[in-house]
Amino acid sequence: MEAFTEKFGVGQPVRRKEDQRLLIGGGRYTDDFNFEGQAYLAFLRSPYAHGRISEIDTEAAKAAPGVLGVFTGADMATDGVGRVETDIPLTALDGTPIFKTQRLALPTDKVRYAGEPVAVVVAETAYQARDAMELIGLDVEQLPPVVTALQAATEGAAAVHDEKPDNCALHWENDTPDAYEAVAAKAHKIVTIELTNNRVVPVPMEPKCCTAEINQETGRMTIYAPFQGGRRVQGAVADLLFGGDGDKVRQISDNTGGGFGTRSKIYPEIIAICYAAKKLRRTVKWLGDRSETMVSDLHGRDQVNSAALAFDENGKILGYRLETYVNIGAWVTENGARLAIDGGGRILGGCYDIPVLYYSCRNMMTNTVSTDTYRGAGRPEANYIVERLMEKAAKEFGIDSRELRRRNFITDFPYTTQMGMKVDCGDFAACMDMALKDADWENFAARRADSEARGKLRGIGLASFVEGAGGRPEEIMRVRFEEDGSVNIYCGTYSHGQGHATVYSQILSDKLGVPFESINLIQGDTDTAPEGASGTYGSRSSQMGGVAIIRASDIIIEKGKKIAAHLLQAEADDVTFEDGDFKAKVGSVTMQEVARAAYDPARLPDGLEPGLDETYHYTRDGGRDDQSYPNGCHICEVEVDPDTGDIELLAYSAADDCGTVLNPLIVHGQVHGGVAQGIGQALTEHLVYDEETGQLLTGSFMDYGMPRAKHLSDIKAAFNPIPSTNNELGVKGAGEAGCCGAPPAFVNAVLNALEPLGVKHLDMPLTPNNIWHAIHNTESEGASA
């Protein structure tokens, strides 16, 4: 056992076992699934951002060549298809519940954003479906759109939903502002900032797509679509189309070209496609193109923040005030309103001891695509605000920002935040020291002088951060030994790039002493996934799925002791398990020998069922309190060309505490990926709507700036692992840290570079155009002064 666990056990940098199949073209994505006689679907999408539907004329489309059916929301309502309502347990301070929208897959009353699906065409070919879609007549009485959160909050703004004329789905507060105002009144200094957190779109490699296959004999539907957990799709489609009969619906995701949160939701397109397939009793396929994905996938971020920190004369924080307007889009989705409250809100003060907090969050509905979970899910926004504030405060105090952070770091654990979350452990100062060393911070002045000699401006910036990880507090995993000696892990989680096949195999190999190569991951199919499985999001898989594997293995070991005792003619109480062997005074047998015996009734003790096959339903005892809190410090160094506004990222150092590092190679990749997405938001990415028409102006890669290799530098990733006390693996999650650390570190670095020119504030993204204007606007202000 030692030979292979030394090489493949927990903590080893094992190469991902799933990559070989993908590298040689063996991946199967949704578009790879095709069936004889399948039909093709196209969506008619609203060209208007806001308006009342007067008529949808489908007659010409129905008569077009190859058309099998044209369906609208009225057709679905006639057939009894219900509405999707999200059950969000949020209330205002006075107990008023959040405004909940009830969404039809295809609207019948109003269109509420440009790109909203309003009708579907199904035809024999994809081209016929698209051609016929162009023949549908859509008559809309246009209404003025509201595009930004502040627009929506303006008195007299058009109502996105007539039932909520103020457009505010929920004004949430943690408390009254009285306590903050009391400490602010005696503060030595109050530092304020106004910030925008720009809207982005997740952009998975695989565009949105779906195939709904119908079994002609049974009427059972199989849905092929990229999701981060299929049970939710199965449940929604069963409830809306099959009277709640989950056995009538199967969902399969084989490979997925990226998730980032957007693949964890139920989209109206899925319901409409499944409806059309059921109605026609034909397999129906839809493949959206990139622009269609941009106008229909849930977006991320989009906040406007007004924040203040009150300090005493020694630079210690007395209180924190934050007022946020969140643009949650046209529909109240599962997490759109929750992200800033339960996501980022739980770690609102970042790494810092915040004695008093007042937090006001207004969730505003607009005529845009809804915002929801995107990598980091509220935590990048929260950390960005407080890190920008700390950097500004250091300048106003005239002290080093590193010193100001040290004075305010949380040092006594467990620490309960003002939002009620208990951070169990961490060493924020140690992470910062590690990052400072890797970044060679002390010799920055010499590097800055070199840049100045070349006419460039060099800057360095850091950000300390903490996040909450773990997501929903339940997960189910199944571990089964097969008769051939292999072991299958049937997953409740779903791997869409995280390397679960490798990491789960490492965990199980360590625990049971079985060869790494003999372990298989079975996932992405509701027919094999454990009942009640949740899926993957919120950096939860290792701490939820991994722990469930450990506990299922414990049950296997206890059963294995009984089998081993029977084989060894010993008492079960005398049998121990260590390093893959069951041992008694009279001898020992391996786990593999016990597993083989488990399938031979003649070799089993009386009353014991054959097989080693156990499922564990893991529920965190403390619910939200038992989450983990990954944290770290990221530092980046940039060079700015003052003539063009162009920014070059020169160096990036990340020091992360993600608890026990299960596989350093994979965790490095997670850090790199998160940093790339965080730099993308800070430097190039911005989803923009025209504020007068509500039209999406950045609907393709010609307009939406994805980060490229040239925008990144080498990334140094180091770990300061302090095992979490909230799970037996000690893991904290690693997939979203980069998105938390990169934006504030990058923006702080650019502000540091531009400080000699008098630039004091920037909002993301820091495009060359935005930087050039910031420089020249500052010069103009200086000249006029």
Side-chain angles (χ1 to χ4, degrees):
M1 189 265 188
E2 290 183 5
F4 56 77
T5 54
E6 282 181 12
K7 183 177 180 181
F8 296 111
V10 167
Q12 298 302 308
V14 180
R15 290 186 180 275
R16 301 193 339 164
K17 61 164 63 177
E18 53 265 69
D19 285 350
Q20 186 63 27
R21 178 171 70 98
L22 297 173
L23 289 171
I24 62 175
R28 287 198 310 168
Y29 297 86
T30 300
D31 194 39
D32 294 321
F33 290 94
N34 292 286
F35 303 92
E36 184 177 352
Q38 68 188 18
Y40 295 83
L41 181 143
F43 284 97
L44 173 68
R45 296 184 179 275
S46 170
Y48 313 108
H50 195 197
R52 300 189 190 280
I53 298 173
S54 301
E55 182 183 15
I56 304 176
D57 184 354
T58 61
E59 293 306 312
K62 289 178 179 177
V67 169
L68 302 169
V70 181
F71 306 109
T72 66
D75 297 315
M76 297 179 72
T78 298
D79 287 336
V81 180
R83 297 171 181 261
V84 176
E85 179 180 341
T86 51
D87 185 21
I88 305 172
L90 291 175
T91 60
L93 200 58
D94 63 3
T96 303
I98 188 172
F99 174 71
K100 297 177 183 178
T101 55
Q102 295 182 326
R103 185 176 189 181
L104 289 170
L106 303 172
T108 57
D109 57 345
K110 292 174 73 176
V111 292
R112 291 179 171 86
Y113 62 89
E116 185 169 23
V118 294
V120 298
V121 177
V122 183
E124 296 288 357
T125 71
Y127 293 111
Q128 288 173 332
R130 291 197 176 200
D131 287 346
M133 178 266 291
E134 298 285 351
L135 298 176
I136 298 175
L138 176 63
D139 187 6
V140 171
E141 176 194 345
Q142 292 191 61
L143 298 171
V146 289
V147 173
T148 71
L150 295 183
Q151 269 187 336
T154 303
E155 187 175 352
V160 178
H161 294 271
D162 296 341
E163 312 92 307
K164 202 72 174 72
D166 66 356
N167 291 319
C168 185
L170 175 70
H171 178 201
W172 189 93
E173 298 167 283
N174 71 314
D175 203 343
T176 66
D178 298 350
Y180 172 79
E181 290 173 357
V183 298
K186 59 183 181 182
H188 173 72
K189 186 182 289 291
I190 297 177
V191 180
T192 63
I193 199 165
E194 307 284 330
L195 290 174
T196 297
N197 209 289
N198 45 317
R199 180 179 282 231
V200 294
V201 64
V203 194
M205 289 186 294
E206 180 181 25
K208 192 187 291 183
C209 45
C210 175
T211 297
E213 180 198 14
I214 286 287
N215 185 303
Q216 295 295 331
E217 295 181 2
T218 66
R220 191 185 194 216
M221 178 175 291
T222 300
I223 304 165
Y224 299 86
F227 276 94
Q228 294 169 221
R231 289 291 183 198
R232 311 175 95 189
V233 185
Q234 181 190 41
V237 173
D239 288 345
L240 292 174
L241 299 178
F242 292 92
D245 186 355
D247 291 337
K248 286 288 187 180
V249 182
R250 179 186 185 188
Q251 199 278 327
I252 293 176
S253 297
D254 196 334
N255 293 117
T256 296
F260 314 126
T262 192
R263 300 298 202 204
S264 64
K265 312 302 173 189
I266 307 302
Y267 285 93
E269 287 92 342
I270 300 296
I271 305 300
I273 293 163
C274 294
Y275 166 80
K278 182 172 184 282
K279 182 81 171 177
L280 297 171
R281 293 190 68 84
R282 285 280 297 268
T283 296
V284 173
K285 181 171 187 172
W286 171 64
L287 177 64
D289 59 25
R290 180 59 60 188
S291 291
E292 200 168 5
T293 297
M294 301 283 269
V295 300
S296 62
D297 267 6
L298 293 168
H299 298 163
R301 317 294 192 231
D302 204 344
Q303 296 182 2
V304 178
N305 306 288
S306 174
L309 281 175
F311 292 88
D312 68 14
E313 63 276 9
N314 297 314
K316 284 283 289 179
I317 297 171
L318 298 174
Y320 183 21
R321 173 188 61 78
L322 176 60
E323 296 181 65
T324 294
Y325 285 79
V326 183
N327 185 346
I328 64 171
W331 297 95
V332 180
T333 57
E334 178 195 23
N335 286 329
R338 297 177 66 171
L339 292 178
I341 298 168
D342 284 347
R346 60 190 173 196
I347 48 88
L348 208 60
C351 299
Y352 309 108
D353 180 15
I354 306 290
V356 175
L357 171 71
Y358 171 64
Y359 180 35
S360 162
C361 181
R362 288 178 170 85
N363 293 278
M364 306 305 301
M365 296 177 291
T366 66
N367 295 116
T368 66
V369 175
S370 295
T371 55
D372 204 285
T373 310
Y374 174 60
R375 194 173 191 173
R379 285 102 73 193
E381 298 95 308
N383 281 290
Y384 181 72
I385 299 163
V386 75
E387 283 304 292
R388 288 289 304 276
L389 264 172
M390 290 297 284
E391 200 70 18
K392 186 177 181 183
K395 288 182 172 56
E396 294 196 14
F397 268 100
I399 62 177
D400 191 290
S401 66
R402 295 168 294 173
E403 173 58 26
L404 186 65
R405 287 177 170 87
R406 289 186 198 280
R407 293 181 190 182
N408 289 284
F409 277 148
I410 298 166
T411 55
D412 294 327
F413 295 94
Y415 177 88
T416 302
T417 72
Q418 292 295 326
M419 294 287 280
M421 304 303 292
K422 187 166 69 175
V423 182
D424 61 316
C425 62
D427 190 338
F428 306 139
C431 275
M432 186 168 74
D433 289 340
M434 183 179 290
L436 290 169
K437 181 179 178 182
D438 285 348
D440 191 22
W441 185 286
E442 297 302 330
N443 292 313
F444 171 71
R447 299 193 295 275
R448 169 175 270 179
D450 177 70
S451 294
E452 289 175 354
R454 293 182 285 105
K456 302 293 180 67
L457 301 171
R458 199 178 190 108
I460 194 167
L462 69 81
S464 293
F465 63 89
V466 65
E467 55 163 327
R472 295 185 179 185
E474 295 183 67
E475 193 50 84
I476 305 172
M477 303 290 275
R478 177 186 176 196
V479 177
R480 173 185 169 88
F481 279 79
E482 304 298 338
E483 293 187 57
D484 63 1
S486 64
V487 187
N488 288 334
I489 301 173
Y490 294 87
C491 291
T493 61
Y494 175 72
S495 180
H496 46 282
Q498 295 89 340
H500 293 177
T502 302
V503 175
Y504 286 165
S505 295
Q506 290 178 264
I507 293 172
L508 198 62
S509 178
D510 248 11
K511 181 70 177 179
L512 296 181
V514 294
F516 174 86
E517 298 86 352
S518 71
I519 302 169
N520 306 303
L521 186 78
I522 310 296
Q523 66 162 24
D525 186 339
T526 54
D527 272 6
T528 59
E531 195 70 36
S534 294
T536 293
Y537 34 81
S539 297
R540 69 189 300 275
S541 295
S542 59
Q543 56 193 294
M544 297 303 301
V547 169
I549 288 171
I550 291 289
R551 296 191 181 183
S553 299
D554 285 333
I555 302 172
I556 286 173
I557 290 170
E558 290 307 307
K559 183 176 181 178
K561 287 179 180 179
K562 296 176 183 178
I563 299 172
H566 185 71
L567 295 175
L568 295 170
Q569 298 184 351
E571 293 294 327
D573 290 343
D574 293 335
V575 177
T576 61
F577 180 75
E578 184 180 356
D579 294 337
D581 293 326
F582 292 93
K583 299 177 181 178
K585 292 180 180 179
V586 295
S588 66
V589 289
T590 67
M591 173 60 83
Q592 287 90 336
E593 290 172 318
V594 167
R596 284 193 292 271
Y599 284 95
D600 183 354
R603 303 178 69 193
L604 292 176
D606 292 339
L608 206 62
E609 291 291 325
L612 288 178
D613 184 354
E614 299 295 341
T615 298
Y616 192 86
H617 186 159
Y618 171 46
T619 302
R620 294 199 305 262
D621 294 336
R624 293 170 76 239
D625 282 344
D626 273 354
Q627 293 183 100
S628 67
Y629 295 89
N631 61 87
C633 179
H634 289 197
I635 297 174
C636 75
E637 197 166 321
V638 302
E639 196 171 66
V640 180
D641 186 334
D643 295 327
T644 65
D646 189 53
I647 301 169
E648 182 181 358
L649 177 60
L650 301 174
Y652 197 101
S653 299
D656 285 283
D657 171 13
C658 52
T660 302
V661 179
L662 300 177
N663 183 318
L665 193 65
I666 286 177
V667 178
H668 272 95
Q670 290 277 22
V671 172
H672 288 196
V675 167
Q677 285 189 264
I679 293 297
Q681 180 183 3
L683 182 61
T684 64
E685 296 187 55
H686 190 194
L687 207 69
V688 181
Y689 284 91
D690 184 290
E691 294 189 13
E692 293 185 2
T693 65
Q695 296 298 316
L696 183 63
L697 301 180
T698 52
S700 75
F701 289 157
M702 294 292 290
D703 314 296
Y704 186 83
M706 289 294 291
R708 293 168 170 79
K710 71 172 186 177
H711 295 125
L712 300 173
S713 68
D714 180 52
I715 298 172
K716 295 179 181 178
F719 302 119
N720 179 45
I722 299 176
S724 172
T725 62
N726 289 336
N727 63 79
E728 51 255 57
L729 281 172
V731 294
K732 292 182 178 178
E736 300 173 278
C739 282
C740 292
F746 185 85
V747 176
N748 286 339
V750 175
L751 282 169
N752 179 252
L754 299 180
E755 187 175 1
L757 302 183
V759 177
K760 296 181 179 179
H761 179 78
L762 293 168
D763 272 321
M764 301 183 291
L766 308 189
T767 62
N769 183 61
N770 289 342
I771 296 300
W772 188 90
H773 278 286
I775 292 171
H776 287 271
N777 288 342
T778 303
E779 290 175 350
S780 298
E781 290 168 5
S784 62

